[in-house]
């Protein structure tokens, strides 16, 4: 869908059905018919490209506010500006906020952000005094957005396009992996770090990671994040 409709698309579950909606023009409607067969099209009011911005508001995560470029931070607040572009990571997702709460409580040192998306966690960590900070993602749009966001916040951070399941992972005092249940399980044994923050899963899931013991947990809106120390 991203290749066909970079302008925007939406996934929604309706009962037993999975509905894909592409936001596009007449050319896109023809592309959609060619690929998927029968499609239903309807007009949407002009300005839909910008409407998502109304949902992206300043949000507090740990000791920082995360603010989109078209909004202002609350007065006297420590903040970073994040434009997710086409990457995951407005900062508002409960898992990101939980990770940042845990990171805010750590002693600053070097930090590795696995699955950095828009760079929100890496950039917040740099703002909190962590250095050096490395962010990894396999999505080129994420790396592009993360580099642009770092520059917009006055940081030059090391973002690398890497598959965290396969490629070598740098050592760090602290690592953060806000990825998914399966990816946390696959990546944790490959990490060499003093402390590890994981998230990307719902509360009932409690990761058991070989080589680590759980030392803290945060919960928000049904999601969870965990702090692990080496055994
Ligand atoms: C849930 S998003 C988190 C983004 C950001 N850290 C945040 O908290 O907003 C997970 C990110 O992991 C990346 N990712 C998924 N599989 C990966 C892999 N095998 N190696 C590296 N990154 C991966 C995705 O591209 C996505 O940007």
């Amino acid at each position: 869908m991203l290749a066909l409709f970079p302008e925007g698309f939406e996934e929604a579950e309706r009962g037993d059905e999975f509905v894909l909606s592409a936001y596009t023009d007449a050319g896109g409607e023809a592309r959609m018919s060619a690929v998927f067969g029968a499609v239903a099209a309807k007009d949407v009011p002009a300005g839909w490209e910008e409407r998502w911005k109304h949902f992206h508001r300043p949000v507090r995560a740990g000791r920082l506010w995360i603010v989109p470029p078209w909004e202002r931070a609350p007065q006297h607040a420590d903040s970073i500006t994040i434009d997710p572009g086409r990457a995951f990571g407005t900062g508002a997702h409960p898992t990101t906020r939980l990770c940042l709460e845990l990171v805010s409580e750590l002693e600053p040192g070097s930090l590795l952000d696995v699955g950095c998306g828009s760079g929100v966690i890496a950039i917040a960590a740099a703002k909190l005094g962590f250095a050096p900070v490395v962010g990894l993602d396999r999505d080129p749009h994420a790396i592009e957005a993360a580099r642009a966001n770092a520059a917009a916040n006055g940081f030059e951070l090391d973002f690398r396009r890497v598959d965290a399941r396969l490629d070598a992972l740098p050592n760090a005092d602290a690592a953060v992996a806000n990825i998914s249940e399966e990816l946390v399980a696959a990546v944790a044994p490959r990490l060499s770090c003093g402390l590890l923050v994981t998230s990307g899963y719902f509360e009932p899931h409690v990761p058991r990671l070989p080589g680590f013991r759980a030392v803290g947990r945060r919960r928000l809106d049904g999601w969870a994040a965990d702090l692990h120390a080496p055994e």
Side-chain angles (χ1 to χ4, degrees), residues 88-89 96 115-117 120-121 137-139 162-164 178-179 183:
F88 182 105
T96 311
C116 62
V120 55
I121 292 176
D137 207 290
R138 67 171 180 188
D139 175 2
V162 153
D163 186 334
N178 182 18
I179 35 185
L183 210 49

